[in-house]
Amino acid sequence: MRSVSIIGFGQTRFGELWEKGFREMIAEAGVKAVQSAGLDGKEIEAVFGGTMASGRFIGQEHIGALIADQLGLNPIPSTRSEAACASGSIALRNAFHAVASGDHDIVAVGGVEKMTEIDVGATSFALGGAGDQETELFHGATFPALYALMARRHMHDYGTTEQQMAAVAVKNHKNGMLNEHAQFHKEFTIEQVMNSGYVASPLKLLDCSPISDGAAALIVAETGKAKKLVEQPIEIIASSQSSDSLALASRKSLTELAGTKHAAKTAFERAGIKQKDVSVAEVHDCFTIAEILAIEDLGFFKKGEGGKATEQGRTALNGEIPVNPSGGLKACGHPVGATGVKQAGEIFLQLTGKAGKRQVKGAEIGLTHNVGGSGATVTVHLYRRA
Ligand code: COA
């Protein structure tokens, strides 16, 4: 396999973007990524796009072709990936393989979702499609409800508290204040999170990621070529993916994502590094409990200690392992198909020293963790300066 690096990144602001359509968001993120790599677009040989439910959200399918057309890239191949909220990172993984195999030298990766055109009930139903239709969605379970089940069990087994979950939200909203592209620029106290009203007990409004619009794009190249094009390419040193049952009821445990554990083990083995080597991580905090599960299952903290570690500031921007400097899904927003691409983009900014006020000092190795549904698809990527 050839070495593969990221050489450019661009994104729209995430949020309720009434003024921007699906196509405009693709164009904005794509053009910014191409410019960030110092290219003019003609060098791109293929496009890999991720979007979860554009058919339900805006009535548009066939997104691969739409992206190429919108970016003026016809007739190069352009392919859509769908893996629920992990659609963007699967697109990145497909791009990684296309370049690693020698099929292409320079490709573009995009992630996009327009979720705010329909009402919140219809959005919840569309998101619910990432779970198990027969045993969950059909019976009325929403995503907040599924993660609430995991939170309850984690509280029962390990003594995790609602305050500890609130600490995840407080940290990520604080980080989001430093990100101009974040949906929310508002700090909250633990008390405000605790009083924000239950959506699905024990998860409250401020334990949830929001409903968002947005797009993000990356340019990926063979590392030798990448070094000739930009000053500091960021090498993808491992790309791994795992699968698990769609239905929570079919899993052995509600307090861990087996997919995260498996994908992390594979990624760390492939890269030949350990958790202690990671300087900064973007993890899938679709709900605050999800970040606690992630930091445990990725191996940064022992099972049951993620809540306490967050409360102690160990995952803060100046902590021992800064988690979600972008604000995460919680504060930066979660346009589902775009999230995995934005996570990789944030690590690209961190490792190239371009993360501005939220820069993690001396960041050398980065990790992204992206989850589809309640854990049926999980990807882990590891990165370092090439
Ligand atoms: N975090 C912080 N603030 C939020 C928020 C969130 N997740 N969701 C909404 N808000 C804010 C809004 O900005 C608004 O503030 P304002 O009154 O100051 O303008 C207020 O809360 C009410 O917003 P509204 O749009 O009416 O909320 P809603 O009831 O329609 O939606 C949720 C709230 C939690 C139900 C919705 O965000 C949700 O379903 N989130 C989960 C999404 C999900 O499941 N994603 C997939 C994960 S796998």
Side-chain angles (χ1 to χ4, degrees), residues 3-83:
S3 164
V4 180
S5 291
I6 299 174
I7 59 169
F9 169 58
Q11 71 165 106
T12 65
R13 191 172 71 77
F14 283 3
E16 285 189 49
L17 308 182
W18 299 112
E19 74 287 5
K20 282 181 193 156
F22 190 80
R23 293 164 195 236
E24 286 79 44
M25 294 194 301
I26 292 170
E28 182 183 331
V31 168
K32 282 181 179 169
V34 168
Q35 286 174 344
S36 131
L39 304 178
D40 66 11
K42 289 192 205 75
E43 308 85 344
I44 294 169
E45 298 166 18
V47 178
F48 297 87
T51 185
M52 174 186 164
S54 54
R56 278 187 169 166
F57 291 136
I58 58 162
Q60 179 71 62
E61 304 289 11
H62 209 168
I63 302 304
L66 178 78
I67 295 177
D69 193 30
Q70 189 62 21
L71 292 174
L73 292 174
N74 294 339
I76 64 169
S78 183
T79 311
R80 167 189 176 173
S81 313
E82 186 278 308

Side-chain angles (χ1 to χ4, degrees), residues 265-285:
K265 185 171 180 292
T266 312
F268 280 107
E269 276 171 12
R270 279 189 194 156
I273 60 168
K274 301 260 183 250
Q275 282 77 353
K276 65 173 172 42
D277 300 318
V278 176
S279 340
V280 54
E282 282 279 308
V283 310
H284 198 92
D285 60 324

